[in-house]
Amino acid sequence: MARLFLGLDSSTQSLSAVVIELDTRKVIYEKSLNFDQALPEYKTKNGVLHSRDPLVKHSSPLLWAAALDLIFAGMKKDRVALGDILAVSGSGQQHGSVYLNEQAPAVLAGLNPQKSLVENLAGVFARKTSPIWMDSSTTAECAEIRKKLGGIKYTASRTGSDAFERFTGPQIRKFYKTEPKAYEKTAHIALVSSFMASLLAGKIAPIDFGDGAGMNLMDIRRKVWDMDALKATAPNLKKKLPLLASSGYAIGPVSAYFVQKYGLNAEALATVWTGDNPASVIGLGLIKPGQAAISLGTSDTFFGTMEKCLTDESGEGHVFGSPAGGYMTLICFKNGSLAREKIRELYKIADWKNFGEFVASTKPGNDGGILLPWFEAEIVPRVHQPGIRRFDLDEKNAAANCRAVFEAQALSMRLHSQWMGVAPDKIFATGGASNDRALLQVLADVMNCRVLRIEVSKSAALGAALQAAYGWLTVADKNPKWDKLVAGFCQPIPGSEIRPDKKAAKIYDALLEKYAACECEALDVI
Ligand code: XUL
């Protein structure tokens, strides 16, 4: 029998499945189900429910449950050998929360395969909708929690991050303040990840140290609920939270619902899920401390692994538990592709190939020209009032502006990742813009290290499948090693390595100071 493992990723816009065969190190199945298209009756746009308040972003936990039924039905139809799957794990969009009433444990334990998950779950919610990571309506609650915990530096060193609007603690506090009765009726609070794991396991699942760190509620060093943070957030919170556990920890056999309905093996293990970013760390093979990756997507994220827990005193970056043990760091820059696209539109540049040619036609350092690309309010550095700023840069020079936008993004990554104390010798680049060699050359020169492209379209789901394998091997007493487990699954694209140019790297060492001064000047006035 082939040793198969299933990883699911419940993200903002879709649910993805990846099945791996451990012995051949192959991904044997991948599929994604887009929420808006597959389940239009939930009326989401890009996975988000409509709200009159632009700061409020919610989704529906029933939509995620319906998607789980659909993806299993799809696997059965596609003749995936579901009976050969030894363990299932997963990852979820981080920070989002699900509110269950006291009937939930009994309903989960007795899921009826004659009905759909949605029908089964009809009476278990204490709150119909779930706030998700895009929500930024909790500025007041963040300030209250931060104040009670002793300020930015202390909140970050205690929980791994300063209080952020999208983090679960501030969201729970807002729920408690605005709907105290519904809060009181809430018996269990789950994250997206632990809610989905609960459906698979047929019982309330633990929250892992990776996703748990995105709540402002977990003591990041001791990996237990932080009683002061809980008290600062809402009353009686400890009772409503599940246990904390390592990612991939075996909860027990999968619920009979999935065995009877879809043919999963009755002995297959349901394991603890994690967040999509911690799962991507595994999916990209970033196991050793000091390894780092840059994902150039709608927003740009810089993340890597860290042995010791170092937190960011300025409160911009995050520290989460890594599923491979130790920690991971993450910095999220909102103006990623979004800003590059805006510059492309502004200068009417036909396509990304042209954009790359413009960048390549200009000199490293841009003769000192700097562009701060804050088209949208920025997370890092914190910019509440959007606006772009140019310093010694000719607005009419299209090529110089193309170089400037990416130089600023790379310089910002270098500047704002210094607190991590990680000096990577190579960085993996992934995401849409990573196939542009001119951009990757700028990145290699600014960071003064090798950059290699890695194309793992479903890195979170792959990481989740590997996490399932790790959980199963642990139970089977095989003493698994993460570096061996990921080997062969995540390889950089052959020939994609870009080496830093020594001369250009020196120019950027000097430009970094000017860039930092420009940021300070702009932040004072914006
Ligand atoms: C990380 C974050 C996002 C979500 C996306 O802090 O908010 O990357 O995890 O799903």
Side-chain angles (χ1 to χ4, degrees), residues 12 93-95 133 166 276-277 318 320 330:
T12 317
Q93 51 170 312
Q94 292 200 250
H95 319 298
W133 69 280
R166 67 192 193 284
D276 53 359
N277 293 299
H318 311 305
F320 303 141
L330 180 128

Side-chain angles (χ1 to χ4, degrees), residues 2-20:
R3 296 197 294 172
L4 305 186
F5 296 93
L6 168 63
L8 296 160
D9 175 43
S10 182
S11 78
T12 317
Q13 304 199 38
S14 56
L15 178 67
S16 304
V18 161
V19 178
I20 56 167

